[in-house]
Amino acid sequence: MSTFEFLLQGLVSASQPMNLVYALIGVTLGTAVGVLPGIGPALTVALLLPVTYRLDPTGSLIMFAGIYYGGMYGGSTTSILLNTPGESASIVTALEGNKMARAGRGGPALATSAIGSFVAGLIATLLLAFLAPYVVQFAIQFGPREYFALMLLAFVTVSSAFGDSTLRGLTALFVGLAFSVVGIDQLTGQARLSFGIPDLLDGIEVTTMAVAMFAIGETLFIAAQGFRGPEIVQAVKGSVWMNREDWARSWKPWLRGTFIGFPIGAMPAGGAEIGTFLSYATEQRLTKHPEEFGHGAIEGVAGPEAANNASAAGTLVPLLTLGLPTTATAAIMLAGFQQYGLQPGPLLFATNPQLVWGLIASLLIANGMLLILNLPLIGLWVKLLTIPKPWLYSGILVFATLGTIGANPSVFELGMLLAFGLLGYVMRVFGYPIAPVVVGLILGPLAEQQLRRALAISQGDVTYLFTSPIAVVLFVVAALAFIVPLILRARGRGEVLSQMAANED
């Protein structure tokens, strides 16, 4: 069957009434958490993992994907009206969007953001649908050597991409890898690091770890910061719609942003932030109105928002075809697949095509829902910003605890939730990224399994790992992904020091 036929089948599956309900719940929740600063789609999906584990896998994953897309849409609202990005990928939108809002043009800024997100999401989802089968055909050739090299690449890129320090990223990763070896050895059946506690024989629950690190840790961190005073929301004045000049200045940045954001999101070391910065720099270079940049240029909102949403679809390419998460939300979605006994990768397209293509097709439907939800209901989303933070975060704590009890009614599991929550808080205080811990816990056992298989095939000969051209290429890319950020950071530090010395002179 062709990709087009698979996509039509997926649309039939995604159009079933219950799946449409799941998509609507996902995009509504996603927009809400995108609007609320500090929440984000990763935390929301983590909270819903224990609640959804008994539901239909297709519906639950459609809802998670809807939350991811919705979070990307909603993050622009706070960037424009509050100058506080709801998502890290919306930082660039605040540069021009908030200036437009202050000048009484908040409506057109929100409109170009929503329509640009729709256009980018539509094109990027179609690119995902047509590109994924080719990646799957390539990945089918992978054996234990190639899979281990791929896992190593995932570890390095996740450690380098999250946070400001590669060393801290690697430290967080090794914390996750240490937790991943707890439980019964998959090959020998021996108990490891269980300390005689029966609850640890099955290993550490990814769901408990994800909820604790993202929800409990974030709540404790926000509570520890104390009251910071009220935040001023810029009122949306005038029409929410764009005039002819706004349309003329927006459509090219939408397309450019889409084709910048999608490939960067699909790269192992991608992520939406890089694409948005590149898009902003591109628009700044190509604009016919350079004097407006820094004072509210509509191109500076249209391009980055399109890149932001296109990268969300791009992120699903390595996740679905290789089982490789490149963002925090993708890492939690990987945990969502695993709680249903599913492992994303080339075999998933062969063993469960209805689920995969239903998920991809649901993104097209969710995209249309988001456009309808965002523009007419902007007043409702702005009102969410008035919810007192103590109410919001105490609700998150209650929901996280009840969800964990519902999934695993055990006093020991609650103790683990609290312990990992405290660990998440301490890591945030000292600037360590959270996502590598969860990625290490999820991918650690898979990497170990593939390495041991490769060594069993070669009877312990380590050089066997380097006899595959694909594996060698992946090892080289992993090495570059580790070294290049270090060089760039060192060069940036050197430039800052030379600038400081020049200023002193």
Side-chain angles (χ1 to χ4, degrees), residues 274-340:
I274 301 168
T276 55
F277 278 103
L278 279 177
S279 174
Y280 183 81
T282 303
E283 297 311 320
Q284 200 170 17
R285 230 177 11 253
L286 297 177
T287 185
K288 294 177 181 176
H289 307 274
E291 72 284 353
E292 289 188 22
F293 267 80
H295 303 284
I298 197 166
E299 296 93 337
V301 178
E305 273 305 302
N308 181 10
N309 273 65
S311 73
T315 298
L316 295 177
V317 175
L319 178 66
L320 293 176
T321 58
L322 302 172
L324 195 67
T326 57
T327 65
T329 310
I332 304 299
M333 284 182 69
L334 180 59
F337 274 98
Q338 290 188 341
Q339 80 172 355
Y340 296 113

Side-chain angles (χ1 to χ4, degrees), residues 411-425:
V411 175
F412 181 81
E413 206 66 30
L414 275 180
M416 296 274 279
L417 185 76
L418 177 61
F420 289 138
L422 289 170
L423 175 64
Y425 165 70

Side-chain angles (χ1 to χ4, degrees), residues 334-426:
L334 180 59
F337 274 98
Q338 290 188 341
Q339 80 172 355
Y340 296 113
L342 301 167
Q343 179 57 43
L347 292 179
L348 190 64
F349 279 77
T351 58
N352 213 329
Q354 188 179 1
L355 183 146
V356 176
W357 289 103
L359 176 62
I360 292 172
S362 74
L363 297 174
L364 295 170
I365 296 169
N367 212 30
M369 288 179 174
L370 280 164
L371 186 65
I372 296 165
L373 278 173
N374 269 264
L375 279 177
L377 300 179
I378 188 63
L380 173 65
W381 304 124
V382 172
K383 282 181 181 173
L384 283 177
L385 296 170
T386 62
I387 298 174
K389 278 195 176 180
W391 295 8
L392 185 66
Y393 283 97
S394 59
I396 288 171
L397 270 180
V398 171
F399 198 82
T401 309
L402 291 177
T404 304
I405 292 172
N408 197 340
S410 155
V411 175
F412 181 81
E413 206 66 30
L414 275 180
M416 296 274 279
L417 185 76
L418 177 61
F420 289 138
L422 289 170
L423 175 64
Y425 165 70
V426 171

